[in-house]
Amino acid sequence: MRILIAEDDNISRKLLKTSLEKRGYDVVATKNGVEAWNVLASNDAPQLAILDWMMPEMDGVDVIRHLRSAKMKQYTYIILLTAKGHQDDIATGLEAGADDYLRKPFNAKELHARVRVGQRMIEIQNQLEDHIRRLKELDQLKKDFLAMVSHELRTPLAVMKGGVSLCLDGVAGQLNDTQADLLGDTLENIDQLTRLITDLLDMSKIEAGKIVLRRDTMDLAFSVRKALNAFKYSAGEKGITLKIALNASSLPVYADADKIDQVFNNLISNAIRYTPENKEITLGVDILANDYLCYVADTGIGISDNNLKKLFSKFTQFSRVDGPGYKGTGIGLTIARGLVEKHGGKIWAESKEGEGTTFNFTLKRRDRPTVLIVDDEPKMVDVIEKVLSHGNYHFLKAYSGEEACELAQSEMPAMIVLDMVMPGLDGYGVIDKLKNDVRTQDIPVLILSSAQIEPDKISGENDAGAIPIMTKPVKPKKLIDSVESLIKN
Amino acid sequence: MPAKIAIIEDNAAFRKIIDIRLKAEGYDTVVAEDGLTGLEMVRNEKPDLLITDLMLPGIDGHKISRMLKFDQRYRHIPIIMLTSRDLEEDADIAKQCGADAFIVKTTKARIVLDVIEKLLHKVTDFRETA
Ligand SMILES: Nc1ncnc2c1ncn2[C@@H]1O[C@H](COP(=O)(O)OP(=O)(O)OP(=O)(O)O)[C@@H](O)[C@H]1O
Ligand SMILES: [Mg+2]
């Protein structure tokens, strides 16, 4: 194994070097902090370093601080050499990021013991990294596979569906009853398979954070009425009555209408499937202070408390019910949850076994896109709000990076205007946090800063350069235009 | 006179299905199995509407659409883009390159026929007001 040593004192350095080399280590010896830093910052840096604290210019702790704040690909295990003996000093070194320390003058036995501890840690670290890398590869493989499969399966399905439909429509000649019946069943099964593939693809998209919402001002009341009409027939076949409970004729909300329809569809098809004949199901929306509470309440078999907890995980199914109709795969609710959360809402179920289940989900009661303004300077927040107030937006304000992340995660704004220089979690940290969360990773961000921006420090492997940057003082017209185009993307 | 619809689709079975379906509905059809031939066909036949697959060997559906929509002589021809994927990005790209509709191949025939009717009439309306 290769070990880096940094020691300005010639005698100590030689001692360290020969002692380590005697044990078979490959030693890279440096005379000061700058040299050590150059080695550590290189592509093929040793994984273990022994740094003297007291060195001219850049001392050992400086090197450690530098190293820990830079985003290195590999972790370097660092043993700090110190002649100082105060407890306080050791604490400072460890806080700065040293893993271990060794007091001068040291004896060879202790040196080797400490190096071996480091070696063990490095081995564990390497194993972990290996596992993580393999898991990531597998995950990617799974996603690629799903996307590929769903594409390759659709073409033959389209051919089958087209051919069978042509026959059923009599285009290829008159069919007798048995033929029509058999082809009818075939078509139904082709549709099931198609739906299953669409669901699988949707789920893989949700897991990868790839669901793109096309939000606009829509009418929730209209969605509910549309859902009722869509399911009237299949409910009627089971003798189930579908009821609507709406408090207003129109309920404007800023959301993706197709995705909201999909949520209702998944919940209602479940309700029908798990409700016995001749009972009823109610679809409704309650108006709360800040949210719409949408619900689908059935009078069916219910779900036990134990199962309620696992309900929204993928491929969970508690009761395969017999009888006609499409048998599910247990991903309907996983998709519903993904879609609701992407909108900044919550979804949950309440149930009593034998009496029925109510699925609830919330949507923010806003009919306009939300802009989150982040700046530690309250005055600046007000100025930005004022500039943007002519646009049709709803505003949320955060005065620190921490607050910004919390609001972004709970409210899912349509875009964020972000200051970079803030005490505590700064703009870079905010971007880093948001881009590493699949739910928030594609909320557009507009950087608004008076300081020089360091593009290298902006995280997001894909396209860091894609984050637009504006410098203060900003021209109102430019800000308004950017915000608008980012929301419309 | 029945409307003439051009079809560009590389999957032979699916091409046959669209062709039979459209003929059964009383349309005239012309077909091609790759982008280059398809583009030539559109230029020669001047159809009232084009249905093209998105993924084609050679010139793909996006390029066909863009080339026709940038050409004065053909930009009035409505284009329906077919895909076996349903990736949302596809719909965006289809729109950007000027396609008038974007349809997943497993969509019900009735719905596709409705879209065709609508697009054919929109063009007529457009011509009348122009
Ligand atoms: N309204 C309900 N009443 C009782 N049990 C339910 C209800 N909705 C869901 N469940 C239970 O939760 C499980 C998961 O539901 P989910 O919608 O995710 O999958 P599914 O309906 O089985 O299949 P699909 O993927 O087609 O939706 C169901 O299999 C069922 O056991
Ligand atoms: Mg379901």
Side-chain angles (χ1 to χ4, degrees), chain A residues 117-130:
Chain A
V117 171
Q119 238 175 328
R120 284 205 294 274
M121 299 307 282
I122 290 166
E123 255 158 47
I124 293 171
Q125 183 95 24
N126 289 348
Q127 272 170 15
L128 264 177
E129 269 165 18
D130 237 43

Side-chain angles (χ1 to χ4, degrees), chain A residues 192-209:
Chain A
Q192 277 181 28
L193 203 49
T194 310
R195 194 157 43 202
L196 175 61
I197 291 167
T198 310
D199 277 359
L200 279 173
L201 186 64
D202 275 353
M203 197 182 67
S204 71
K205 273 198 246 172
I206 286 171
E207 285 185 332

Side-chain angles (χ1 to χ4, degrees), chain A residues 392-405:
Chain A
N392 197 18
Y393 306 121
H394 174 85
F395 295 102
L396 285 171
K397 303 168 209 175
Y399 303 98
S400 73
E402 290 83 359
E403 207 184 335
C405 287

Side-chain angles (χ1 to χ4, degrees), chain A residues 199 266-267 269-275 298 300-303 311 313 316-320 326-334 351 357 359:
Chain A
D199 277 359
N266 287 0
L267 297 183
S269 64
N270 280 350
I272 293 175
R273 200 181 299 160
Y274 305 107
T275 298
D298 67 44
I301 57 172
I303 303 166
L311 201 56
S313 323
T316 27
Q317 291 184 296
F318 310 118
S319 40
R320 301 267 338 188
Y326 168 59
K327 306 279 183 302
T329 36
I331 52 183
L333 289 177
T334 315
S351 187
T357 310
F359 277 89

